[in-house]
Amino acid sequence: RPGLDAYGFVVEEVALPRKVLVEEARKAGLTPGPLYQHLQAGQDVVLEDGSVVRADEVTQENVRPRKVVIVGDTCDASSLVPLAENADIVVHEATLEDEQWILARRHGHSTAGGAG
């Protein structure tokens, strides 16, 4: 409703770097050390003998970070839709039951059905 602010919270995990598959890296001639950082960033590395260790052959993507959006009780959360994009879970608080929709609208609240 015009004149009412809508508030929400976004909790998003930090993306982790690629995981080095240590056994695969060893087979490719690489020992643990600073070059791992390049591999974790998805960059191929060149060993002293000139051979190339391809990051996609000795690393794997880490788990995709999760995103949770929590929206407070409001009759119009449309301004928060961009924040909820690509969320794994969206929680929209509602104060009133669906049968109380007139009261909810009058006071700028949402109903359970309106939030869902």
Side-chain angles (χ1 to χ4, degrees):
R1 193 166 89 186
L4 292 178
D5 292 329
Y7 293 95
F9 300 91
V10 176
V11 180
E12 197 165 6
E13 293 177 322
V14 174
L16 296 174
R18 298 179 67 86
K19 180 179 178 183
V20 175
L21 304 171
V22 177
E23 281 306 311
E24 296 301 317
R26 284 182 201 251
K27 288 178 190 174
L30 186 63
T31 56
L35 293 179
Y36 271 28
Q37 291 177 333
H38 295 285
L39 294 170
Q40 288 175 313
Q43 302 166 352
D44 299 341
V45 296
V46 179
L47 301 179
E48 288 181 15
D49 66 4
S51 61
V52 176
V53 178
R54 294 181 40 88
D56 61 348
E57 293 176 356
V58 297
T59 64
Q60 68 183 21
E61 288 288 333
N62 226 313
V63 177
R64 183 183 66 81
R66 294 169 291 186
K67 179 178 180 179
V68 176
V69 177
I70 303 167
V71 179
D73 180 12
T74 181
C75 63
D76 180 13
S78 62
S79 65
L80 301 174
V81 169
L83 294 175
E85 188 174 331
N86 298 319
D88 296 286
I89 298 173
V90 176
V91 178
H92 183 166
E93 178 189 6
T95 299
L96 302 168
E97 296 179 24
D98 290 344
E99 295 77 25
Q100 298 173 299
W101 69 271
I102 294 173
L103 181 63
R105 177 168 234 144
R106 185 179 312 139
H107 294 284
H109 290 290
S110 54
T111 63

